[in-house]
Amino acid sequence: MPFAQALWESLARDSRLVLPVLVLWLAGTLMLWPFDSWLLKRLSKERWAFLSIAVLLLSGWFVLHTPTAIGFSEMFRIDGVTKGFQILCIIAGILTIALGKQQLSALKEHTVEYYSLILFSISGMLILVGATDLVSIYFALELMALCIYILVAYLRTQERGIEAGVKYFLLGAFSSGILLFGISLLFAATGGTTTNLERLGQAIALAPGNHELLVFSGVLMVLVGFAFKVAAVPFHMWSPDAYEGAPTPITAFMSMAPKAAALAAFVRIFGTGFSGVTENWIAPLSFIAAASMILGNVAALRQKSLKRMLAYSSIGHVGYMLLGILSTDSQAGAKAIWLYMAVYLVMQTGAFAVLIYKQGITEGERIDDLRGMGKQHPLLAFTMMVFMLSLAGIPPLLGFFSKFYLFRLAIIQGHVALTVIALLTSAVAAYYYLNVIAQMYFKDPADSNAEPVGISTTVLVTACTAVLLVGTAFSPWLMEWVEMIGWG
């Protein structure tokens, strides 16, 4: 009885820290059972999108009003880093639902399960970014990933979608096993005393000499597990096929929300838990960052599919963001990654909105399908040009300033060689981004008939463009604001 009473008191005291997660769990469960049958008779399938967005907005409101605290036996922390990345994940979910509504209706694939899985996946992300224990990190990671495995194979009638889902699931299970084995080695290195990141960092830093191999192996396995989750080279092999086979809105979702959550956990683990053994992971992580920047951008040069090009380019962008993980100042690294991810989220959403529009018209996703868009749809072409230039980091657009902030931090931390690689690969990336613009403005359209652009697409791309342009105008103040944020 004393144990049960203590457990109940702990849950009652700490549940306020996970109210945003509880809202998503409740809504996701009610969508599936037992109220889905009679609710579906009263709500059109399209209205589930608006309901899901409302649930995410409510969850975001709770995130903003959750107090800074540590709970659940120090397994979960609410601080500036947690709130910042939770908001990014929620915004990514809202944008994903907005992207998918029209396409799912056209494909006649609108189901309640689609929205429920997105909500459950985001709930895992909200836990992951605040988890301060290797056990809670692992379970949050799996909750996030299991839902995405299903969403990748959501279009059951398309063979490439099923194949992509199975590949992603098998490789994901393999990487999860490596991560879990790494956690068990680190637990053993501490003498079986703790998996809490702060205490773990102190314990492995003071581990006896005969445990050096145990610590090194555990740290390396955790690094491999997280490198897979963010699709960093050489653990990126699942990414192009999964991105191409998944429904396009889910491809956009995978390139934004899971990466933001995993990178936040990356910062917390390596900045807190492994800060005392940097010699074990600095060199491997530097190699992974450099390889991701090089291979991601070089491979994107050869892609004819816009979807695959954006998939490979996202690998390059992950390489840039890993520079923030390498920072010895974990808070500065978290701020740099957060700013980069926030800008990247807007750019990716706009680019995928244009791609989804073209898929609805031509049923294709090749870069050639954008030919002549500058003549047929001047507004759409202009917004796509802004997204491509910003992704390339062309000044004075906001994408340039987010890169500048990250690269400056890397130079301050002494990673000059990696920063030079980042600059050179950014120049390579400019080629394939500018090729998209060339197709729109310097090629004749394949079809003289211009299909109308839907209201939802127009609103979405216009809003994303406005955010980028307004952010560009205020970018110096934005960078100062990020510097002043208290993330303790």
Side-chain angles (χ1 to χ4, degrees):
M1 286 300 292
F3 173 77
Q5 184 178 358
L7 178 63
W8 175 255
E9 290 176 354
S10 175
L11 290 174
R13 181 179 64 252
D14 297 336
S15 60
R16 61 198 174 100
L17 303 181
V18 291
L19 274 177
V21 177
L22 296 177
V23 167
L24 298 180
W25 281 353
L26 179 62
T29 303
L30 291 180
M31 284 181 177
L32 294 176
W33 182 87
F35 303 103
D36 60 326
S37 57
W38 66 269
L39 274 176
L40 278 172
K41 296 176 182 178
R42 291 160 176 78
L43 290 175
S44 64
K45 293 179 180 180
E46 289 80 1
R47 289 185 181 177
W48 283 105
F50 296 110
L51 180 60
S52 300
I53 290 174
V55 170
L56 286 170
L57 289 173
L58 178 61
S59 179
W61 186 88
F62 279 121
V63 167
L64 294 175
H65 291 83
T66 302
T68 299
I70 302 175
F72 297 100
S73 300
E74 300 184 5
M75 298 183 73
F76 188 76
R77 176 194 293 270
I78 293 292
D79 56 16
V81 175
T82 303
K83 288 187 176 184
F85 282 94
Q86 282 183 336
I87 289 296
L88 284 185
C89 295
I90 288 172
I91 292 174
I94 291 171
L95 294 174
T96 299
I97 292 170
L99 284 171
K101 180 177 174 294
Q102 187 173 353
Q103 189 177 52
L104 291 178
S105 296
L107 294 173
K108 297 181 180 179
E109 291 284 356
H110 240 124
T111 64
V112 180
E113 291 80 6
Y114 175 84
Y115 299 108
S116 180
L117 287 168
I118 289 177
L119 295 183
F120 278 120
S121 180
I122 294 173
S123 71
M125 298 173 200
L126 299 191
I127 299 173
L128 180 60
V129 299
T132 55
D133 190 283
L134 289 177
V135 174
S136 56
I137 287 172
Y138 178 78
F139 281 106
L141 201 60
E142 290 307 294
L143 174 59
M144 174 187 80
L146 285 172
C147 298
I148 297 177
Y149 298 151
I150 302 170
L151 288 169
V152 168
Y154 178 74
L155 299 178
R156 299 179 298 278
T157 58
Q158 295 186 7
E159 290 185 5
R160 70 173 186 175
I162 301 297
E163 180 184 353
V166 171
K167 282 181 179 178
Y168 187 22
F169 170 72
L170 292 176
L171 290 172
F174 183 67
S175 72
S176 295
I178 293 175
L179 176 62
L180 191 58
F181 191 47
I183 292 172
S184 66
L185 291 179
L186 292 171
F187 183 65
T190 66
T193 58
T194 185
T195 51
N196 178 270
L197 291 179
E198 290 189 4
R199 291 194 291 272
L200 178 71
Q202 297 169 1
I204 62 176
L206 300 173
N210 60 346
H211 285 178
E212 286 183 3
L213 181 59
L214 207 60
V215 172
F216 176 74
S217 301
V219 169
L220 201 60
M221 287 184 177
V222 172
L223 175 60
V224 168
F226 271 90
F228 178 91
K229 299 303 180 184
V230 299
V233 176
F235 311 103
H236 68 290
M237 67 291 292
W238 61 272
S239 178
D241 288 340
Y243 280 30
E244 187 175 33
T248 305
I250 298 304
T251 302
F253 182 64
M254 291 167 63
S255 70
M256 299 183 296
K259 281 185 171 58
L263 285 166
F266 223 133
V267 170
R268 206 180 288 277
I269 292 172
F270 286 81
T272 301
F274 301 160
S275 59
V277 290
T278 54
E279 68 279 1
N280 288 335
W281 56 268
I282 283 288
L285 185 56
S286 298
F287 169 78
I288 290 172
S292 299
M293 290 185 278
I294 295 170
L295 189 142
N297 286 300
V298 171
L301 287 172
R302 304 182 59 186
Q303 303 306 313
K304 303 298 181 183
S305 165
L306 181 59
K307 202 172 180 181
R308 285 184 74 89
M309 187 202 83
L310 291 172
Y312 275 108
S313 72
S314 72
I315 296 173
H317 286 286
V318 164
Y320 303 143
M321 286 184 276
L322 288 178
L323 295 177
I325 310 293
L326 289 165
S327 171
T328 54
D329 184 348
S330 59
Q331 282 205 10
K335 289 177 184 179
I337 294 171
W338 182 87
L339 177 62
Y340 196 101
M341 199 70 223
V343 177
Y344 182 71
L345 187 150
V346 177
M347 298 184 295
Q348 282 287 92
T349 300
F352 273 101
V354 176
L355 172 59
I356 289 172
Y357 161 74
K358 291 305 294 183
Q359 285 180 323
I361 301 303
T362 64
E363 296 185 357
E365 54 196 37
R366 294 173 61 85
I367 297 174
D368 292 346
D369 293 332
L370 301 177
R371 286 180 300 174
M373 187 186 290
K375 297 177 182 177
Q376 294 181 327
H377 300 291
L379 176 62
L380 205 61
F382 172 76
T383 59
M384 190 64 164
M385 179 181 69
V386 172
F387 302 140
M388 293 295 105
L389 292 177
S390 190
L391 281 166
I394 304 297
L397 291 171
L398 193 55
F400 165 77
F401 285 98
S402 63
K403 279 187 176 179
F404 173 78
Y405 188 90
L406 190 60
F407 294 173
R408 184 187 65 175
L409 176 65
I411 291 174
I412 292 172
Q413 295 291 328
H415 303 293
V416 178
L418 285 175
T419 308
V420 171
I421 293 173
L423 290 170
L424 292 175
T425 52
S426 294
V428 173
Y431 176 82
Y432 57 80
Y433 287 128
L434 292 174
N435 178 48
V436 174
I437 298 173
Q439 293 290 333
M440 294 190 299
Y441 285 100
F442 302 116
K443 300 290 184 179
D444 294 325
D447 188 356
S448 58
N449 297 323
E451 296 289 339
V453 182
I455 295 176
S456 59
T457 301
T458 303
V459 170
L460 197 56
V461 298
T462 303
C464 291
T465 305
V467 169
L468 288 177
L469 295 179
V470 172
T472 298
F474 294 97
S475 51
W477 293 275
L478 178 62
M479 293 173 68
E480 290 181 7
W481 174 74
V482 172
E483 288 278 6
M484 291 186 298
I485 293 177
W487 285 41

